Amino acid sequence: MDDKVKHWLVAYVQSNREKRIFERLTTLGIESFLPLQEEIHQWGDRCKKVQRVIIPMCIFVHVTYPERLQVLQLPSVNRFMVLRGESTPATIPESQMERFKFMLDYSEEAIEMCNEHLQPGEKIRVIKGPLTGLEGELVTIGGKSKIAVRINVLGTALVEVPAGFVERVA
């Protein structure tokens, strides 16, 4: 295994420790990504903006083989995601991570994760709005058009998009 090649892996962490581990990884200089989405919560007479973790108990890390061991030594990090029947951590392709991060950064709509098997949709590209340039699949769920970005081993990230904002990709 090449010690200098970085791969995107999914680290499982203890519940409600995601933000703390993310900060610790950043302090250590280890590239990581914690998918967060801002939401407004209301309790009786007050409203507050909160950062919701989109995939609970998971942090994405972009690491070399030696850095992998460093991540596992952190308290609250349990293990890396491994596919059934395999012994090495499952890797997520760079292109899928880039599309997922782009979707999170620019979407004005709430992003939802779906880990059920979705039928493949038509290949499309967003041509209008804040997600312009994002490529994915157009799927219809509950009568609503959504753009789907598949992430190996984790499922599919979905966000609502008006049908007029997309074009078919050949």
Side-chain angles (χ1 to χ4, degrees):
M1 178 166 272
D2 190 342
D3 282 359
K4 290 180 178 40
V5 176
K6 288 190 171 203
H7 295 282
W8 280 105
L9 308 176
V10 178
Y12 285 125
V13 299
Q14 291 175 3
S15 184
N16 298 317
R17 298 269 197 275
E18 301 94 348
K19 292 176 187 174
R20 215 173 290 155
I21 293 296
F22 177 70
E23 288 167 7
R24 184 84 177 103
L25 289 166
T26 302
T27 303
L28 292 170
I30 294 174
E31 184 182 355
S32 56
F33 175 63
L34 178 60
L36 297 170
Q37 191 155 306
E38 201 167 84
E39 293 180 342
I40 296 176
H41 284 220
Q42 186 166 353
W43 296 274
D45 62 337
R46 65 187 186 105
C47 287
K48 184 179 181 184
K49 281 186 183 177
V50 295
Q51 294 279 324
R52 179 179 67 89
V53 175
I54 293 180
I55 308 171
M57 300 172 60
C58 289
I59 293 180
F60 296 90
V61 291
H62 196 217
V63 292
T64 60
Y65 186 76
E67 287 173 329
R68 244 171 57 174
L69 304 174
Q70 208 177 345
V71 171
L72 288 174
Q73 290 171 352
L74 293 174
S76 301
V77 173
N78 298 327
R79 62 188 173 89
F80 289 114
M81 180 182 279
V82 176
L83 294 177
R84 189 176 308 227
E86 307 239 336
S87 57
T88 56
T91 60
I92 297 174
E94 194 81 38
S95 61
Q96 289 179 5
M97 281 304 298
E98 290 307 314
R99 285 199 306 270
F100 182 48
K101 288 165 86 173
F102 180 87
M103 180 188 257
L104 274 166
D105 286 346
Y106 295 102
S107 178
E108 293 171 351
E109 300 294 322
I111 291 173
E112 58 185 287
M113 289 301 296
C114 173
N115 49 15
E116 296 164 22
H117 177 71
L118 282 178
Q119 289 299 318
E122 195 172 4
K123 298 266 188 245
I124 51 110
R125 178 184 308 113
V126 180
I127 55 170
K128 280 189 206 163
L131 293 174
T132 298
L134 178 67
E135 291 189 10
E137 299 170 39
L138 188 64
V139 295
T140 304
I141 297 174
K144 295 184 178 180
S145 296
K146 297 188 180 205
I147 188 166
V149 172
R150 295 186 191 268
I151 304 166
N152 282 12
V153 307
L154 271 181
T156 308
L158 299 163
V159 68
E160 224 174 292
V161 62
F165 281 29
V166 299
E167 69 179 5
R168 195 177 280 144
V169 175

